[in-house]
Amino acid sequence: MLLRLGAVLAGAALLGACQLETKSAKQYGYRGTGMDQITLAAASKKIDPINVVPPPPYDPPKPGGRPAKEAYQNVQVLGDISEDEFSYTMAAITQWIAPEQGCNYCHNPANMASDEIYTKKVARRMLQMTRKINTGWTQHVKQTGVTCYTCHRGQAVPTENWALPAKGNPDTILGNKHGQNAPMVSTAYSSLPNAAFAKYLFDANSSNIRVQSKYSHPSPLDKTSVMDTEGTYSLMMHTSSALGVNCTFCHNTDSFQAWNRSTPKRVGAWYGYRMVRDINGEYIGTLASVFPKHRLGPQGDPLKVNCTTCHRGINKPLGGVSMVKDYPALRPTGPMITAAAAPAPAVPAAAATKMP
C-alpha cells in the first residue's frame, strides 16, 4: 500500500513538472511546419512587477508657453519644449531612474545649470539617444516607442547590461579559455563563446550575423567557419531568452537562412540588432571618459545594452504598452535641438579580432 502511494505521489510530481496546464498556440508560419508559439494560459495572465508601467507624475501640461531654453540655463537637449513640459518630463525621469535620490542625482541643488555631476552629462546623452530611437529607429520600435523607463525600471543603472569580458592569462590553460567554457546567462549557461555581444552588438563596425554557408567546401564563396557559427548561435540563444520566444518566432525551420520563408518578425530583429549597435557605439560608447571607474567594465568600457535590457523576457517590452505617448518631449515631431554628438569610439582590439 505504501509503495503504491509512493508511486502515485512520484507520478504526480513528475506530471506537475510537465506543466499540464491550458495552453494557447498561435501559428506564425506555413501550415505543417510546426511554426507555432506555445504560451501557458496562466503565464499570459500573470502580472510581472518588473513590467508594470508607472503612471505619469501628474497630468500632462497643456501645449504652449515659454521655451525651456529661455526659462532655464544650459538646456542643451530639451530646449525646444515648453517650460511646463520640461518640468513634467524631468519629474518623470526622476521617477524612472532615481526615485530615492531625486533631482540631486544629476543636479547640484545650489546651481541646477552646473554640469559638475557626471550623471547630468550622461542623462543629456541618453535623452539624445531616446529621441533618436523614437524618430530614427521606428523600423524596430514602431509607434510604441521607448522612454528611459523601458531600460531603467526605477534603477539608476539598468540591471541587464554587459561589458567586454576580462582578459584571461594567455600563458595558462585555465586562464585562457578563448572566450568559451564559462557558463553564463548570456550564453544560455553553455560553453558557447561569451564574446558574441562584443562581436555583433558593439557598434556600427560590428560583424554581420551569419550562420549558414551555401556550399559544402571552403571557397571564396564559403567563408563561414564553425567558430563563426558558434558565435552567432550564442547571440541567437540570448535573443530567444531575452524575448521569451523560440526560433520559429523569426525563422522557418524549413530554411533558417531564407528570408522569403521567414516571419516578418525577423525583419524587426534585423533592425533591432542595428539599433543596439547604434546605442552602444554612438551614445553609450562616447561616454567612456565621462563615467567614473566604478561604472566601467573590466576593460574600461561603459556598461552597454543588449536585447534583455528592454525586453526582460517578453517579446514586446512592457507588454507593448506605449509610454512615450504621454511624453511628447521624447519623440519630437519637428527638428531636434540637441548638443553636438561626439564621434563613436574605435573598436577595442579585443572586439575587433576574430574569435579563436
Side-chain angles (χ1 to χ4, degrees), residues 103-117:
C103 302
N104 294 351
Y105 183 71
C106 291
H107 295 277
N108 176 355
N111 182 7
M112 300 289 280
S114 172
D115 285 347
E116 63 189 89
I117 303 178

Side-chain angles (χ1 to χ4, degrees), residues 274-336:
R274 282 149 184 80
M275 181 187 76
V276 171
R277 294 173 185 176
D278 186 42
I279 292 172
N280 287 332
E282 185 67 21
Y283 293 93
I284 298 177
T286 57
L287 295 169
S289 62
V290 176
F291 282 113
K293 186 175 181 179
H294 72 273
R295 288 287 304 275
L296 301 174
Q299 293 193 38
D301 58 307
L303 303 180
K304 293 170 283 296
V305 304
N306 53 33
C307 304
T308 311
T309 310
C310 287
H311 284 271
R312 305 294 182 94
I314 56 178
N315 68 303
K316 292 184 178 181
L318 297 170
V321 175
S322 176
M323 291 181 63
V324 75
K325 63 181 177 57
D326 293 322
Y327 307 96
L330 301 181
R331 185 165 59 188
T333 55
M336 293 186 291

Side-chain angles (χ1 to χ4, degrees), residues 4-59:
R4 183 180 299 176
L5 178 59
V8 171
L9 292 175
L14 291 173
L15 290 173
C18 294
Q19 294 182 301
L20 297 179
E21 304 176 30
T22 302
K23 301 177 179 67
S24 61
K26 184 176 182 180
Q27 183 169 288
Y28 283 92
Y30 298 99
R31 290 177 296 174
T33 61
M35 294 183 64
D36 293 353
Q37 289 294 314
I38 310 298
T39 305
L40 291 175
S44 63
K45 297 179 181 179
K46 181 181 178 181
I47 298 177
D48 187 346
I50 203 169
N51 287 313
V52 173
V53 178
Y58 50 84
D59 292 338

Side-chain angles (χ1 to χ4, degrees), residues 85-98:
E85 188 177 355
F86 182 86
S87 299
Y88 168 78
T89 305
M90 290 293 104
I93 292 174
T94 301
Q95 174 182 313
W96 297 335
I97 297 175

